[in-house]
Amino acid sequence: MTYIRAMTDPAAIPIIAYGPLYPYLDEALAWRFAVHAVAADADPEALPPQVREARALVSFGSVGASAAIMDALPKLEMIGLFSVGYDKVDVAHARAKGIRVTNTPDVLTDDVADLAVGLLYATVRHIAANDRMVRAGDWARGVKPALCGRVTGKRIGILGLGRIGRAIARRLEAVAGEILYHSRRPVAGTAYRYVADPLDFARASDVIIVATSGGPEARGLVDAAMLDALGPEGMIVNISRGSVIDEDALVAALAEKRIAGAGLDVFANEPHVPEALFSMDHVVLQPHQGSATVETRKAMADLVLANLDAWVSGRPLLTPVA
Ligand SMILES: NC(=O)C1=CN([C@@H]2O[C@H](COP(=O)(O)OP(=O)(O)OC[C@H]3O[C@@H](n4cnc5c(N)ncnc54)[C@H](O)[C@@H]3O)[C@@H](O)[C@H]2O)C=CC1
Ligand SMILES: O=CC(=O)O
């Protein structure tokens, strides 16, 4: 997508780049608007008067936009989110104040699904642990790596069959023994088996891949009972949000080998990862990299810019959340 300057000159429109964004997006915003960079941990009530004039705010998913920052910006009309997940945006507050919110769905779906599948293979086939043992010289010293399970034939349970969940399922059709899913309700137009009860779903899965949206409704959806239902041969992959799994329960289940392994891209308190996981060879850790490819980050930035363009010129927003 080529970024085109809108008919109305927006160069004087004050906007906020909130928290660290992404160089391509930062540059395009600076070319386009009067940008104020505001750190994610800045006190909203201490913002200087010229920053309070901001009419739009662009934010990364991990930063979002709280009610406090919205209240500190009396002229705010638009929040452009550089992520699909909007769990860190107080959407109800934005709606109540008439502030529009956009996100970046679809353009990142394939890359996030790829990482989920990569984590599945890395966890089931011990790829990260075996890499470590080769580098440490253990193989050369005659250490025999433990045999692992196979991916082929596994019953894959997708928790949250949305855009990314469906893309994961499509990728795994070629190898899975069965693909089943749990969502709040059955998804129309899919042949995968729907399991309404979360514990039955966990019992019927060899691997659960968490692909729900985050936020209060999904908080702690995967709890100790669900991990026990998954069982000692079971594994879990999470590319959704750390908050969807009870992290203490997960660490305990992994430490006590009540589940067999985990591949985790997301954590409850990023960038902090429970230290207990660092020494666990049956856990594969990623620093929230689902959409972090050159191609996708550019596509996400272009979608943020296209939504801002639409807002400036009064056209319908492309991907509105509110
Ligand atoms: N690891 C990463 O870098 C990335 C993570 N994500 C996460 O993936 C999430 C999903 O993205 P999309 O598939 O595009 O969203 P989506 O809205 O298409 O799908 C979310 C699915 O989760 C289901 N769901 C929500 N709450 C649920 C609950 N309590 N119980 C059962 N199912 C529930 C919804 O019904 C929906 O089917 C995002 O909201 C974000 O949190 C997205 C992009 C990158
Ligand atoms: O976590 C990333 C997102 O786009 O949501």
Side-chain angles (χ1 to χ4, degrees):
M1 183 188 303
T2 308
Y3 181 56
I4 300 167
R5 187 180 275 266
M7 295 301 286
T8 41
D9 179 14
I13 297 179
I15 73 159
I16 289 176
Y18 196 28
L21 292 172
Y22 163 64
Y24 168 82
L25 180 56
D26 286 327
E27 280 167 31
L29 290 174
W31 179 78
R32 175 79 164 74
F33 297 102
V35 178
H36 300 286
V38 173
D41 60 357
D43 176 0
E45 291 183 14
L47 294 176
Q50 69 274 20
V51 175
R52 287 177 181 266
E53 294 293 303
R55 290 176 51 203
L57 176 146
V58 179
S59 178
F60 201 59
S62 57
V63 175
S66 63
I69 190 80
M70 294 182 214
D71 289 344
L73 305 171
K75 298 187 179 164
L76 189 66
E77 296 170 32
M78 161 83 180
I79 296 169
L81 205 56
F82 185 52
S83 71
V84 66
Y86 49 86
D87 46 299
K88 292 271 174 70
V89 178
D90 192 331
V91 173
H93 199 70
R95 278 204 187 100
K97 295 185 75 111
I99 298 167
R100 305 301 308 274
V101 180
T102 60
N103 67 344
T104 60
D106 297 313
V107 292
L108 45 61
T109 295
D110 284 332
D111 284 349
V112 185
D114 284 345
L115 187 73
V117 172
L119 280 170
L120 167 73
Y121 275 89
T123 308
V124 174
R125 295 300 308 267
H126 301 174
I127 290 174
N130 284 342
D131 176 88
R132 282 192 293 274
M133 73 87 79
V134 172
R135 289 170 195 267
D138 291 347
W139 191 34
R141 278 190 286 274
V143 176
K144 294 268 182 289
L147 294 183
C148 59
R150 67 201 307 245
V151 171
T152 300
K154 286 250 183 302
R155 297 169 303 164
I156 309 285
I158 311 281
L159 186 59
L161 198 70
R163 288 172 292 244
I164 295 171
R166 281 195 298 270
I168 295 168
R170 278 196 302 275
R171 281 158 172 71
L172 291 172
E173 277 176 10
V175 292
E178 184 187 11
I179 294 175
L180 50 142
Y181 72 100
H182 171 76
S183 257
R184 287 168 292 193
R185 59 195 74 84
V187 174
T190 173
Y192 307 130
R193 176 158 69 103
Y194 175 64
V195 185
D197 180 75
L199 295 184
D200 288 342
F201 165 75
R203 278 185 212 105
S205 304
D206 296 316
V207 181
I208 291 176
I209 303 184
V210 185
T212 66
S213 36
E217 283 184 33
R219 183 174 300 280
L221 181 61
V222 179
D223 57 8
M226 200 159 160
L227 293 168
D228 283 334
L230 180 61
E233 306 294 321
M235 293 186 173
I236 192 158
V237 169
N238 189 8
I239 50 77
S240 153
R241 284 291 183 263
S243 58
V244 179
I245 302 183
D246 176 338
E247 204 165 69
D248 291 341
L250 176 65
V251 172
L254 285 163
E256 294 156 17
K257 301 278 171 78
R258 287 187 284 112
I259 65 169
L264 306 172
D265 185 43
V266 287
F267 303 89
N269 182 28
E270 295 175 5
H272 305 289
V273 173
E275 271 190 42
L277 297 179
F278 295 164
S279 58
M280 294 187 191
D281 253 356
H282 55 321
V283 178
V284 180
L285 303 172
Q286 284 286 293
H288 202 145
Q289 292 293 288
S291 66
T293 67
V294 173
E295 295 88 344
T296 283
R297 284 292 160 87
K298 180 172 182 300
M300 290 165 65
D302 282 334
L303 187 48
V304 172
L305 295 165
N307 273 305
L308 287 167
D309 260 356
W311 163 69
V312 165
S313 52
R315 285 181 280 115
L317 301 177
L318 281 80
T319 48
V321 170

